[in-house]
Amino acid sequence: MSNQDLIKKNLLEKVADLHEIPAGAYNIRENSESAGRRSTEDIRIDSKEDAPGIVVTVKDGTKNKSVHIPVVITESGITETVYNDFFIGRDCDVLIVAGCGIHTSGDKASAHDGVHVLHVGENSKVKYVEKHYAEGTGDRSMKPEMKVDLAPGASIDIETVQLGGVSDSVRVTEINAAENSAVNITERIMTDGNETVESKTTVNLNGNASSARINSRSVARGNSNQIFYPAITGNSECFGHVQCDSVIMDSARVRSIPEVCANSTDARLIHEAAIGRIAGDQILKLMTLGLSAEEAEERIIAGLLK
């Protein structure tokens, strides 16, 4: 296996947990080109005609199926914007595994901007996992955007992870929820060095009996900078909860600005935010179990970002 193939394999394992070609539908993008695609009877993947990207169509009633759409960049100087549209039918239960990995070995910047639009059909469930990872030299930028429209009774569970190496990241998510629909978002981020992250999440609870939960957890090290803008707007009889927990270390900076907005007397909305360093008694307790101070610190961080 060539060095290039090893780099690609490592990136796919980190961002999509792929150790081999996945079962089911998939589209793998490498250095701005297609590196493999497969549609199935239930999930069809087509190229967009008006822009770089794909259209994923899931048939009504599709259950316990998955589609993997990872992106890897293994060369310096590649910058791209990709537009992916998802049309999820009624009464579906599907897993979407996205994610981007960048490896650079030169001074030129590389960047991937992914714009995802999801239309989730009535009474359908979607689990969406997106992991970002980068390594090497030069600037490595990722700017994901996601817009989701949930039909009545639909739900989406979003897990976004960024645990290292991304120089600059701007994450924008907007979700519109109809009646009886549910949103669950878990965000885990770690930055170091001079890395920067800006995350803006907006959920509009438009229908009665809709709900949303946003849980953001982060660790900021070195001279890194993090800014979070999680917001829920209640336009109906609904429930929303925003929680942000951050650990700050070294000379890092963290801003957390949660917002809840009620446009209905029947909206119940809560927000919480906490920023602080690792407590000394937590480290001391683990040290009594035989860990060094550094090992104890890493164990606590791993628990926070799990």
Side-chain angles (χ1 to χ4, degrees):
M1 183 178 292
S2 68
N3 185 56
Q4 193 81 350
D5 288 337
L6 286 172
I7 292 172
K8 175 183 174 182
K9 180 177 182 292
N10 176 62
L11 292 177
L12 287 174
E13 288 177 355
K14 288 185 179 296
V15 303
D17 296 321
L18 289 180
H19 302 277
E20 57 186 15
I21 296 298
Y26 69 86
N27 184 86
I28 299 175
R29 184 178 180 88
E30 180 182 4
N31 296 328
S32 297
E33 296 182 356
S34 175
R37 176 184 298 174
R38 178 170 63 208
S39 296
T40 65
E41 181 180 351
D42 299 312
I43 302 176
R44 190 177 76 247
I45 304 176
D46 300 303
S47 298
K48 287 183 70 71
E49 296 181 356
D50 57 345
I54 56 176
V55 177
V56 178
T57 305
V58 181
K59 290 174 57 176
D60 291 349
T62 299
K63 305 281 189 180
N64 301 318
K65 301 295 184 180
S66 65
V67 55
H68 289 71
I69 55 165
V71 173
V72 295
I73 294 177
T74 60
E75 298 176 3
S76 298
I78 291 180
T79 60
E80 62 177 8
T81 301
V82 178
Y83 302 85
N84 297 331
D85 295 339
F86 301 79
F87 296 90
I88 314 298
R90 295 183 176 185
D91 301 309
C92 296
D93 188 344
V94 295
L95 168 66
I96 300 172
V97 180
C100 177
I102 296 178
H103 174 97
T104 55
S105 56
D107 295 330
K108 294 182 179 179
S110 291
H112 173 78
D113 299 346
V115 181
H116 292 180
V117 179
L118 284 75
H119 304 274
V120 184
E122 195 169 342
N123 299 320
S124 286
K125 297 180 180 180
V126 173
K127 169 77 172 183
Y128 180 93
V129 180
E130 183 175 83
K131 297 181 180 181
H132 287 167
Y133 172 79
E135 60 188 17
T137 57
D139 288 338
R140 302 168 299 277
S141 172
M142 300 184 193
K143 297 181 179 179
E145 294 185 27
M146 177 185 292
K147 182 175 181 180
V148 181
D149 289 320
L150 296 178
S155 67
I156 188 164
D157 186 353
I158 299 174
E159 179 183 344
T160 60
V161 181
Q162 180 178 310
L163 299 182
V166 182
S167 305
D168 175 34
S169 177
V170 179
R171 316 173 67 88
V172 179
T173 302
E174 179 183 348
I175 301 178
N176 294 297
E179 60 267 23
N180 297 304
S181 61
V183 178
N184 184 53
I185 300 174
T186 302
E187 178 180 56
R188 293 179 287 151
I189 291 176
M190 183 163 66
T191 56
D192 204 345
N194 294 312
E195 297 167 1
T196 64
V197 168
E198 180 177 334
S199 177
K200 183 176 182 180
T201 301
T202 303
V203 179
N204 300 307
L205 298 176
N206 300 321
N208 287 335
S210 57
S211 65
R213 291 172 173 82
I214 302 174
N215 185 0
S216 178
R217 290 175 283 174
S218 74
V219 175
R221 287 171 149 168
N223 296 308
S224 64
N225 188 28
Q226 301 178 353
I227 305 176
F228 299 95
Y229 300 98
I232 296 178
T233 298
N235 297 315
S236 61
E237 181 275 309
C238 61
F239 173 79
H241 183 206
V242 177
Q243 181 172 343
C244 301
D245 294 301
S246 297
V247 168
I248 186 169
M249 306 171 68
D250 307 319
S251 301
R253 298 171 301 281
V254 179
R255 295 178 64 198
S256 184
I257 311 169
E259 178 184 358
V260 290
C261 174
N263 295 323
S264 168
T265 57
D266 294 320
R268 296 180 296 127
L269 307 174
I270 305 167
H271 74 70
E272 305 172 68
I275 301 173
R277 63 182 181 181
I278 297 174
D281 58 344
Q282 291 178 295
I283 294 178
L284 182 60
K285 182 177 180 179
L286 289 177
M287 289 179 67
T288 62
L289 300 176
L291 299 180
S292 67
E294 292 78 13
E295 290 171 334
E297 186 177 271
E298 292 301 323
R299 184 72 61 87
I300 293 168
I301 290 172
L304 176 70
L305 297 176
K306 185 175 180 181

